[in-house]
Each structure stands twice: as C-alpha cells, then as structure tokens.
Amino acid sequence: MTSIAFRNVEVLDGLGGQAVCMDVGVENGKIVKLGDVPTLGLEVDGKGCTLAPGFIDTHAHDDGAFIQHPGMEFKLQQGVTTVVSGNCGFSAIPMAPGTDQTAASGGILSGLIGDFVDLEGYFSTVLEGKPAINNMMLVGHNTVRSLVLGDEKRAPTERELKKMEEHIGLAIAQGACGFSSGLIYRPGRYSSTEEVVRLAKIAGRYDALYTTHMRNEGDRLLEAVDEALLIGKTSGAHLHISHHKSAGKANWGKVVDSLSKIEQALMSGQKVTLDVYPYTAGSGRMIEYFNLDNPDEELARSIRIASCPDNRSYEGRMLTDIAEEEGKGIKEMVRSILLSPRGDKTICIQFIISEQDVETNISHQDMMIGSDGIPDLKGRPHPRLFGTFPRVLGHYVREKQILNLSEAVRRMTSLPAATFGMLERGQIKEGYFADLVLFDPDSIIDRATYDEPKLKPAGIKMVVVNGEIALSEGHPTGIGTGQMLRYRRECFLSN
C-alpha cells in the first residue's frame, strides 16, 4: 500500500477549529502521524493548500452509479470520498429475483443491475467493480412498498406491514444506517403517517436514522415538517430532513418558520438534522410533479429537461422553448413528454427556490450538504451532480462569506460522519481512515452550469480514499479503494 507524507499543509481536522500548518503521514490506509512525519514513500508538498477530511455527501442517489460508473469521477472531482445513498425512499435493496430494479424509481436509480436481493449482495456486487469512493446505504420506503404492494393506492394489510418490517430490519441488521422515505413520490404518497411511523420504528430500535423527502416542500411545507417531526418522535428514530427548501415563489421565506419548528424540537431533546444543496433549482422525475389531467402551468414554465429517453433533443432546454418550437401549449407539451413510451423516466430541473432561502439554509447551525444529484450521465443533469461541494467552498464561503471555511468543512466531514455512523472517518486524526482532500482555498470553485453541467470543478489538487491516491490534479487514478460502510460498525468485507 502507498505511504504518503503531506508536507507544509494547512490542516483542517474537520472539527471546526482553525487550520494548523503541519505534516500528515499516511500508511496502510490510515492516518498514522500528525506533526513530525518521517520520510515516506510519496512526498507531497502542499504549500499554499488546505488538507481536509474527504467530503461526505449526505444525500446521494448513487445506488446504480456504483455499478455503472464505479470510477465515480463526478464525486471524486469534487473531493467527495463518501456518499449516503438510498435516499428519498428509493434504494438498491431489497429486490426480488427477476424484477425490474428501477421500476419504482424511474430514472433516479439509473444503472442499477445485478442479481442481488439484499444489502450484503448489493455490497458484494459493488465491490467487484472496485469503486473509487465509499458508500453508506439507507433502505427506502418506496422500494420496500413497491416490492410488497406494487403501486397499489391503499393501506397495507397487517401481513404486508410485517413483510415490509422484515425487509427494513434485515437491511439495517446488514449495515444500513436507517430508513428513508419520499412521501411526495409514488407509492410513498399513498401511505399514511401511521404506516411510516410503524416502519420507522425499526430504525428506532437500532438507534438509526429516519431520513425523509417530506410529503410537501411548497404550500404545505410547515404541515409536512410537523409530520416529519411526529414520525421521528413517535418512532424513536433520529430524524434527518433531506434537501430542506421552500418551493414555489408564493412560499419563499417559509424556511425561516420551518427552521424555527426544528429548533423547538431540538430544544425539547429530539434528534433532528438537515441537509441542503446550494442551488436555486431542484431536479427529479418529472411525472411525479404533474397531474396530467390539469398540468400546473406555473411549474411547467420553470422546467428545463435534463434527461428525456424518448427525445434526446429536448435535453438541456426549457420546456417553454420546446413548446414554442413545436407549436404546442405548455400543458400539451407536458402531456406529450410524459405520455410518451418512456415518459415516466424523464428527469427535469425546476427553478423554484429563492437564493435568500438557500443562504438562510446554509447559514443555519449544523446544516449539512447533500448534492441530491441524479447520475444519469446521458443527458444534461443538474450541475449539482458535478459541482456541489466546490460551490459551497468557493461561492458561499470565499465569495459570499455566508460561513467560514473551517465551519463549512466541519459540516461536510465530522458532522455527517457522526450523524450517519461512519466509524473513524470525517476527521484528520491518528488512527482514522485516510480519506483526504487537498485543495486550494483561494481557487476552489464549481464550473458546472445548467448549459454545461459536466464540467469538473477547479481547485481540487488530490483526493485520497482509504490511503490510496484516487485523484491527482483533477485526474482519476482508477485505484478503486472505496469501501461499503456499515452503520456504526466496521466496513463490509466481501467473501
């Protein structure tokens, strides 16, 4: 294994303190020495650069990407060494042999193939491809419900509930860090609060997480926050609210009231955490956002097409421009796209968030960062897939000074590592795994745009994953040392 000595670097240990100039030694996959480091195999002069723990993406949809794109360049190039996948109720597991593993999620779990049925099988499949980065998994409500009930719009029977509980319990026993829901999506939207509480109690028994894409992030945001807090409190699970936002111009500013509710819950002793992405546009499966009998015209006018399997020429274009070119009304255009043979796999980008709300979220104490990128690389994905973490450090830290560098790094490293149960990660500390990112704080910035979303960021000099160099000067090495992480336990070891 490679041994590395980082010299003359400004070290941010991940705990929020100021940078300290020192040397850091890496051997056998671990950080072995801080300070007086002897000569090692590879000497890296980091003068002018900052060394931090590898960034942790708390909200990823990379379940299929780990199989289809094991090099994970779009994350490595940002300095990300670990992701939490299985979000919004959609996860790689559980699965039944011979079923379409992406049916429930449309294009969100793009690339998910294999004959695995549980988490251990998924982990083994991923490790065969030598992934570039680490992965922690959630088990998804929509996936579990689809497996047991299909897409039926009804409450589960007691027998079906017990079957869902079994699937969730097995996943968490095998190492999942918790249970996720996406209550805006099908079939999660058909579930009652009581159903979700019942299932989240499985996570509560393990002192694990209940993460949620809440039932509403717009007109009924505050009601949805109340529901999420109720589910967390009643189930005993640690509540984590995903991509906190207030969607739609009429709702801008409501994040202040939402965060106030969360503060009150925290003061009462409830475990609650959140994450946010640093953009004013969201992205997801387009069919979930429209009633095809009467499509929302205001929403339609905010939409850009990211991925459209039935008409690739639409990708990267605003829906209004497509409709004008084809001589169709905006509502007719929505129906035309979504009723096409693979219309349900269309991914869109919606410009529905205010910049002030983004800044309010980022400045909120302990707000973590999640990219929420959908790794369908054939189209023109949301630029957050390629730019989230450098954008925070370059735009919101250096340029806008919404928070300082050391605090931003804490929110990307030690805080998510502790929250999601990642042992010996998230800090530069002797004995910890050597997941590290070397970057230039004066030049780090995202370059991905909505027009050119796949541009790699600037300022990332080197990324180390489990002690091996995974990226150098922006170029992946292909070393493939990523591990499959298990909640509060040692990583998964394939047979």
Side-chain angles (χ1 to χ4, degrees):
M1 298 184 75
T2 305
S3 61
I4 310 169
F6 289 94
R7 308 289 186 191
N8 308 310
V9 287
E10 295 291 323
V11 175
L12 287 172
D13 65 6
L15 294 177
Q18 293 303 305
V20 177
C21 186
M22 67 170 75
D23 296 346
V24 176
V26 172
E27 284 188 295
N28 298 319
K30 296 287 188 78
I31 299 165
V32 294
K33 188 69 174 176
L34 303 179
D36 186 16
V37 176
T39 301
L40 295 175
L42 177 64
E43 298 281 316
V44 177
D45 184 358
K47 187 175 182 180
C49 290
T50 296
L51 187 69
F55 304 141
I56 297 170
D57 187 345
T58 61
H59 191 95
H61 294 287
D62 292 332
D63 308 45
F66 272 97
I67 297 171
Q68 189 172 27
H69 309 291
M72 297 297 287
E73 290 85 357
F74 49 91
K75 291 294 169 71
L76 265 184
Q77 290 167 349
Q78 298 184 57
V80 171
T81 58
T82 302
V83 301
V84 180
S85 300
N87 281 284
C88 294
F90 298 113
S91 59
I93 49 83
M95 290 294 172
T99 60
D100 178 0
Q101 294 173 308
T102 66
S105 72
I108 291 178
L109 295 184
S110 177
L112 191 62
I113 55 174
D115 58 2
F116 50 85
V117 296
D118 61 6
L119 188 61
E120 289 195 356
Y122 169 73
F123 278 169
S124 292
T125 298
V126 172
L127 287 174
E128 287 174 5
K130 295 185 177 180
I133 64 174
N134 308 312
N135 184 29
M136 175 71 85
M137 282 292 298
L138 293 152
V139 57
H141 177 219
N142 292 321
T143 297
V144 171
R145 201 179 203 274
S146 294
L147 185 62
V148 176
L149 279 80
D151 196 39
E152 295 191 30
K153 303 178 184 179
R154 63 172 175 84
T157 65
E158 180 62 23
R159 180 180 178 184
E160 289 166 338
L161 269 171
K162 287 182 177 178
K163 188 63 178 176
M164 287 193 280
E165 288 176 323
E166 289 174 7
H167 284 305
I168 295 164
L170 176 61
I172 298 177
Q174 290 180 338
C177 62
F179 168 63
S180 77
S181 73
L183 300 179
I184 194 173
Y185 298 118
R186 296 172 293 170
R189 67 175 62 163
Y190 310 140
S191 63
S192 66
T193 303
E194 291 73 23
E195 175 187 329
V196 183
V197 167
R198 172 86 176 259
L199 299 177
K201 282 182 177 179
I202 305 300
R205 290 174 197 166
Y206 287 85
D207 194 25
L209 289 98
Y210 166 63
T211 76
T212 182
H213 179 150
M214 295 183 293
R215 202 177 292 271
N216 190 287
E217 295 178 321
D219 295 344
R220 302 179 67 181
L221 169 66
L222 301 182
E223 294 171 49
V225 171
D226 287 338
E227 181 189 35
L229 290 169
L230 176 64
I231 293 168
K233 185 175 182 178
T234 308
S235 68
H238 173 151
L239 171 64
H240 183 83
I241 295 175
S242 299
H243 42 61
H244 185 247
K245 68 171 77 68
S246 186
K249 192 170 184 178
N251 301 303
W252 290 354
K254 283 185 180 179
V255 294
V256 175
D257 294 328
S258 176
L259 290 171
S260 178
K261 285 179 176 287
I262 291 157
E263 286 294 329
Q264 291 173 21
L266 286 166
M267 287 189 289
S268 74
Q270 185 173 351
K271 291 182 180 179
V272 188
T273 48
L274 311 92
D275 63 46
V276 66
Y277 49 77
Y279 295 87
T280 57
S283 182
R285 189 182 181 196
M286 184 171 163
I287 200 167
E288 302 287 1
Y289 307 125
F290 288 100
N291 172 2
L292 293 182
D293 292 332
N294 186 24
D296 183 329
E297 185 170 341
E298 181 181 356
L299 176 60
R301 292 188 179 281
S302 77
I303 279 180
R304 183 183 187 117
I305 301 300
S307 179
C308 186
D310 284 333
N311 197 325
R312 295 291 180 185
S313 68
Y314 293 167
E315 294 172 348
R317 302 176 63 196
M318 294 297 294
L319 194 60
T320 51
D321 294 336
I322 298 170
E324 182 178 359
E325 180 180 276
E326 300 204 356
K328 295 179 179 178
I330 194 73
K331 292 185 178 183
E332 183 185 1
M333 197 69 241
V334 169
R335 295 190 191 97
S336 175
I337 290 173
L338 295 181
L339 292 174
S340 66
R342 292 178 291 174
D344 64 335
K345 295 187 184 300
T346 301
I347 303 296
C348 70
I349 296 168
Q350 320 100 288
F351 294 88
I352 52 174
I353 306 165
S354 80
E355 175 62 24
Q356 182 57 57
D357 283 357
V358 173
E359 294 181 12
T360 297
N361 271 316
I362 289 176
S363 63
H364 187 263
Q365 183 179 2
D366 291 342
M367 181 67 70
M368 288 176 263
I369 305 299
S371 72
D372 197 16
I374 300 172
D376 183 349
L377 303 183
K378 294 178 181 178
R380 290 195 178 182
H382 192 302
R384 64 192 183 186
L385 183 65
F386 286 79
T388 291
F389 289 81
R391 179 171 177 79
V392 171
L393 298 179
H395 183 60
Y396 289 101
V397 171
R398 186 179 63 248
E399 296 175 354
K400 303 205 75 171
Q401 300 181 7
I402 301 298
L403 71 169
N404 64 47
L405 181 63
S406 60
E407 174 62 9
V409 167
R410 182 185 74 87
R411 311 262 198 97
M412 298 175 175
T413 58
S414 68
L415 181 59
T419 300
F420 290 89
M422 300 171 185
L423 293 186
E424 298 181 342
R425 298 181 194 272
Q427 296 181 46
I428 295 182
K429 182 177 179 179
E430 291 180 6
Y432 272 46
F433 288 95
D435 293 341
L436 303 167
V437 55
L438 183 71
F439 65 94
D440 180 353
D442 294 327
S443 66
I444 189 169
I445 195 68
D446 63 309
R447 297 194 303 134
T449 66
Y450 295 100
D451 289 330
E452 296 291 341
K454 301 176 190 178
L455 296 177
K456 66 183 180 182
I460 300 290
K461 302 299 183 182
M462 181 177 289
V463 180
V464 175
V465 179
N466 295 305
E468 299 292 336
I469 297 173
L471 180 134
S472 181
E473 295 295 339
H475 301 290
T477 66
I479 192 68
T481 53
Q483 297 181 350
M484 299 296 101
L485 308 186
R486 298 192 294 178
Y487 184 62
R488 295 180 180 172
R489 293 158 61 187
E490 66 280 359
C491 62
F492 175 79
L493 299 176
S494 184
N495 294 329

